Amino acid sequence: MIGPEDVGGVHVKYLHHCRRQLWLYARGVRPEHLSTTVQMGEAVHETSYTRSSPVDLGAAKLDHLDGAAWVHEVKSSSKPGRADEAQAMHYCYRLHGVGVAAQGAILHYPKTRRTKRLPYTPQAAEQAEADIAAVLEVVSAPVSPPLLPRPSCRGCSYLDYCWNE
Amino acid sequence: MPTATRTYWLTTPCRIRRKDQSLRIERPDGSPVHIPITDVRDIVACEPIDINTAVISLLNQHRVNVHFLSHYGDYAGSLLTSDTSTSGQTVIAQARLAGDPAASLDIARAIVASTAANVRRVVDRKLLTRPMTILESSIAGASSREELMGAEGTFRRSAWAVLDTRLPDWLRLDGRSRRPPLNAGNAFISYVNGITYARLLSAIRLTPLHSGVAFLHSSMERQRHSLVLDLAEVFKPLFAERLLLRLAGRGQLKPAHFDVDVNQAMLSEPGRKLVVQTVRDELAVTIQHRALGRNVAYDELLYLEALQLTRTCLEGTPYKPFRIWW
């Protein structure tokens, strides 16, 4: 199974989104690239924000790191969520791990033209560390986590897997 | 299968070249067709095609499989992209399940029962009532997969005989024969089964399952994708028998659609075109899915079936194979 250094932004995002999704993701169930929504998102990603410079941290890959060491993440949803924040803080944590003093993260929501600024604080660092432990705990569980209530599965690319019978 | 991209069916001999990020399909007559690679889910080649390394690397990058049907219409092989979806964790779970005699026999039983139910639904409910009850009792009593396959064979024979009563003389099967099919009816069934097999292989390759580890057929033998054989069973009646009856009933199939020799038969070129077109359109037909609550194409049913088996392997949920519910 994966170790602490293999935990990436997607793992953290899924942890806050749905533990079951994380458990399945770690077992190779990856229907994301089959979804029309995801393909659309990828196409948009490839053709927009061309001046941004993605940073590859191995397990994690972030959209853009600006000159003042702020992490920029572009989100295609219109509703800011807990998962987005946790993912951004995870990137800051990883950057600190390789010696880049990231100041925090700026989440971009182009759909609603909002941005959200999250400074990287000691509490955030603690939370990021706890998230990694939680990811490992979920992933190594022998039994899959339960389904979320059906309405919250709307739009999830794992819906076909979970609710098909 | 998911709808972001689509399947391309090649029904004339052609050469595929690469032009940047597009496939350029050159037919002997007519101007070349360009297809952006992002639009392609997979390709089914019903006629000989030429292909080169540049194309293969582009196909591989975008995880596009190519399936080849031979001259006689049976499945000839596939050009598969590297195994990027299979995951160790899942394959180990799958192998554990297949290695457990009781668990794998349960799955095999379910597959045989559902296949028979689908055959009966498509061919004739009334005349197959008795063979069905016999099959049910032998399924319950079977203690090995060989016994199961034998019981299924018996049921199938009655079903072929009943099917014959509803076909015009020249299309009758007179028992199932393959490699080569002996008559027109068999040629049709073989061809459609070959397509079903290819479609299922594509579907399974999208899930983390291994296409060689099976439950009803023996795993990894004769270089066949045994799991595909397993899952194809339940879908064959939906396409092969059903379309044969429909095309025969409408008088759409003509003797000219087959090249019949003394000891073998195959689809002629116009016949092949008709069949491929029919199957392609049939795969696009949608039905309201009971559990998912949305419209699902027949083609996607194959993928959902593979997903369901993934779930059985990973989480131990009981496997309920596809049954025609409409």
Side-chain angles (χ1 to χ4, degrees):
Chain A
M1 238 22 297
I2 58 172
E5 66 286 352
D6 302 317
V7 175
V10 177
H11 290 109
V12 174
K13 183 170 79 181
Y14 285 178
L15 174 75
H16 288 276
H17 181 235
C18 169
R19 295 190 166 218
R20 187 177 160 75
Q21 189 180 19
L22 170 61
W23 191 86
L24 291 167
Y25 179 80
R27 274 156 186 76
V29 182
R30 312 234 166 136
E32 301 97 334
H33 68 277
L34 305 172
S35 130
T36 320
T37 327
V38 173
Q39 284 214 337
M40 188 65 183
E42 270 172 14
V44 171
H45 183 91
E46 268 168 31
T47 48
S48 42
Y49 295 98
T50 42
R51 278 172 298 167
S52 71
S53 44
V55 180
D56 198 341
L57 291 166
K61 191 172 178 189
L62 50 100
D63 288 347
H64 182 52
L65 184 67
D66 69 12
W70 282 86
V71 173
H72 291 255
E73 274 290 303
V74 183
K75 294 285 154 202
S76 55
S77 76
S78 49
K79 207 169 106 198
R82 177 79 194 85
D84 301 344
E85 292 175 18
Q87 189 184 8
M89 286 301 109
H90 177 78
Y91 291 147
C92 295
Y93 175 81
R94 285 287 180 219
L95 285 170
H96 277 266
V98 295
V100 179
Q103 292 194 52
I106 300 172
L107 297 172
H108 296 258
Y109 295 92
K111 231 183 219 169
T112 47
R113 301 207 289 161
R114 299 282 191 278
T115 56
K116 194 167 181 187
R117 200 171 268 264
L118 303 163
Y120 186 65
T121 56
Q123 287 110 303
E126 237 167 70
Q127 181 61 42
E129 207 153 328
D131 279 348
I132 293 177
V135 166
L136 292 176
E137 193 190 324
V138 170
V139 164
S140 59
V143 179
S144 57
L147 292 158
L148 292 182
R150 173 76 187 243
S152 48
C153 295
R154 221 183 118 239
C156 175
S157 56
Y158 286 68
L159 191 143
D160 282 356
Y161 173 91
C162 291
W163 292 96
N164 172 31
E165 66 174 51
Chain B
M1 261 162 272
T3 46
T5 49
R6 55 186 130 172
T7 307
Y8 281 85
W9 303 76
L10 304 175
T11 51
T12 39
C14 59
R15 174 182 293 276
I16 305 183
R17 288 181 193 280
R18 176 175 179 173
K19 180 81 177 71
D20 305 326
Q21 298 296 306
S22 311
L23 298 176
R24 181 183 145 105
I25 297 183
E26 296 171 356
R27 303 202 196 98
D29 51 335
S31 54
V33 181
H34 290 258
I35 303 168
I37 187 71
T38 46
D39 193 44
V40 185
R41 176 174 53 216
D42 54 3
I43 299 172
V44 183
C46 309
E47 291 285 336
I49 59 166
D50 286 348
I51 206 164
N52 60 23
T53 312
V55 175
I56 290 175
S57 66
L58 182 67
L59 294 173
N60 206 16
Q61 271 168 34
H62 290 85
R63 314 187 5 151
V64 175
N65 297 319
V66 188
H67 305 290
F68 304 96
L69 298 174
S70 82
H71 188 58
Y72 293 105
D74 52 338
Y75 171 79
S78 299
L79 179 66
L80 297 175
T81 58
S82 36
D83 233 346
T84 41
S85 315
T86 40
S87 94
Q89 288 273 322
T90 313
V91 175
I92 289 169
Q94 186 189 355
R96 199 177 293 138
L97 203 61
D100 177 351
S104 64
L105 201 62
D106 273 350
I107 296 179
R109 274 201 190 103
I111 291 174
V112 172
S114 288
T115 307
N118 288 345
V119 171
R120 184 174 172 226
R121 164 75 179 75
V122 166
V123 176
D124 194 315
R125 291 194 215 212
K126 217 171 180 180
L127 288 174
L128 286 174
T129 315
R130 226 180 81 74
M132 190 69 186
T133 43
I134 296 172
L135 178 75
E136 271 161 8
S137 65
S138 36
I139 286 178
S143 55
S144 70
R145 44 174 122 191
E146 288 75 21
E147 271 178 61
L148 272 176
M149 300 247 256
E152 199 207 356
T154 316
F155 176 82
R156 276 287 199 176
R157 266 192 293 281
S158 346
W160 297 127
V162 173
L163 187 68
D164 273 354
T165 63
R166 300 183 50 191
L167 291 173
D169 281 344
W170 67 276
L171 260 179
R172 287 204 179 133
L173 302 169
D174 298 323
R176 183 88 177 92
S177 55
R178 355 169 184 221
R179 271 177 244 164
L182 291 179
N183 49 33
N186 274 299
F188 180 92
I189 300 236
S190 288
Y191 200 78
V192 177
N193 284 350
I195 295 178
T196 311
Y197 182 87
R199 304 298 310 132
L200 251 169
L201 181 54
S202 264
I204 289 178
R205 295 284 288 205
L206 294 174
T207 68
L209 294 174
H210 194 291
S211 57
V213 179
F215 302 94
L216 175 62
H217 297 80
S218 38
S219 295
M220 315 281 276
E221 249 179 42
R222 292 191 292 138
Q223 302 173 333
R224 299 299 296 272
H225 299 277
S226 319
L227 183 63
V228 183
L229 291 174
D230 275 12
L231 295 187
E233 289 292 327
V234 290
F235 287 103
K236 282 173 181 174
L238 177 64
F239 297 111
E241 278 95 337
R242 196 154 167 256
L243 290 180
L244 178 61
L245 280 171
R246 183 188 297 169
L247 291 185
R250 288 180 182 167
Q252 268 179 297
L253 273 180
K254 307 255 163 49
H257 288 133
F258 298 90
D259 292 333
V260 184
D261 274 340
V262 182
N263 213 13
Q264 66 176 45
M266 57 187 230
L267 285 163
S268 64
E269 211 184 303
R272 208 165 284 194
K273 269 200 181 134
L274 171 74
V275 173
V276 168
Q277 234 162 46
T278 314
V279 175
R280 191 194 58 197
D281 293 348
E282 190 68 10
L283 283 166
V285 171
T286 57
I287 36 140
Q288 171 80 11
H289 194 286
R290 293 176 299 181
L292 297 178
R294 64 177 166 88
N295 282 340
V296 164
Y298 285 5
D299 199 25
E300 211 175 335
L301 286 175
L302 308 183
Y303 171 68
L304 291 175
E305 192 68 11
L307 274 188
Q308 213 202 339
L309 194 61
T310 315
R311 202 173 164 191
T312 303
C313 292
L314 277 179
E315 305 180 52
T317 47
Y319 174 54
K320 284 182 264 163
F322 164 74
R323 272 187 201 214
I324 304 176
W325 68 75
W326 60 95

